[in-house]
Amino acid sequence: MTDIDDLLRRVFTKASASEERLPPAATEEEVARAENILGFGLPPLFARLYREVADGGFGPEYQLFPLLGEGRTAVSVYHEERAASGPGEKAYWPAEVLPILDWGCGMYAAMDCRTPAGTILLFEPNGIEDDWHDAWYVDSESLPDWLETWVSGTGWYEEDSEEEGGMRRWEAARRRLAEKS
């Protein structure tokens, strides 16, 4: 198990070295407001990450979304994706799965906020026409593990990644997408 305080220090160090200027950290009030707008709580480490490192603007490839504010934010993208399925259409974005990073081409890194460890999921909709549960994969069992792969430069998205095999499908996707919200 990774020491969380040490992990946050290493994330801050890498984020500071990777970015010319990090956004300010989110305040307790901003995190509480985001949770209120979302209608669910954020995993504790995720809230700490935003309060102690920065309000997005760092991380793998295209960087984490800010929680709130102008433009695309974790909160606004969550509501957009949840509302995108019209009446009578199959839902493709489950409740309490927060988009945290846009990989491009319709793909997102998202966090299952129902899990205390913050399971990180990959939404990869390309080629999916109807069975949306097939678009969901487990990127990492926990936010600490996902952050560790970024800090160590070993994520699947790294150009010289040696990670072999594909991600496993998110087994809960079908059930979570069928839930009434």
Side-chain angles (χ1 to χ4, degrees):
M1 177 84 183
T2 301
D3 175 76
I4 297 302
D5 292 329
D6 178 60
L7 176 60
L8 287 172
R9 278 190 292 278
R10 290 183 295 122
V11 167
F12 180 80
T13 299
K14 181 164 182 166
S16 296
S18 302
E19 301 306 318
E20 189 173 308
R21 185 169 165 218
L22 286 174
T27 64
E28 292 270 353
E29 294 77 20
E30 289 167 329
V31 171
R33 197 171 102 210
E35 289 176 325
N36 187 47
I37 293 168
L38 289 166
F40 56 87
L42 300 172
L45 176 57
F46 188 73
R48 277 191 69 187
L49 182 68
Y50 274 67
R51 286 191 323 263
E52 296 176 26
V53 176
D55 185 10
F58 66 94
E61 299 289 316
Y62 299 104
Q63 305 174 339
L64 295 170
F65 288 124
L67 282 177
L68 299 166
E70 298 295 317
R72 297 183 80 213
T73 67
V75 171
S76 70
V77 174
Y78 173 77
H79 286 297
E80 288 169 14
E81 296 300 340
R82 288 284 295 153
S85 299
E89 294 180 342
K90 288 185 178 182
Y92 68 85
W93 199 275
E96 297 182 51
V97 173
L98 184 69
I100 60 172
L101 183 147
D102 186 339
W103 289 115
C105 298
M107 296 170 43
Y108 288 99
M111 182 177 49
D112 184 358
C113 292
R114 289 185 185 172
T115 60
T119 301
I120 303 298
L121 305 169
L122 173 68
F123 177 67
E124 209 300 54
N126 297 296
I128 305 293
E129 293 185 27
D130 195 37
D131 293 328
W132 290 111
H133 62 277
D134 287 336
W136 290 96
Y137 299 85
V138 175
D139 187 341
S140 183
E141 292 296 330
S142 71
L143 178 59
D145 290 346
W146 190 75
L147 291 170
E148 189 63 55
T149 62
W150 175 64
V151 168
S152 64
T154 59
W156 61 264
Y157 43 82
E158 298 288 345
E159 191 171 305
D160 57 351
S161 173
E162 294 181 17
E163 189 172 307
E164 292 187 28
M167 287 181 211
R168 68 177 172 81
R169 293 211 186 267
W170 183 37
E171 293 175 21
R174 185 184 304 271
R175 176 182 49 80
R176 293 280 296 275
L177 288 169
E179 291 176 359
K180 302 292 182 209
S181 50

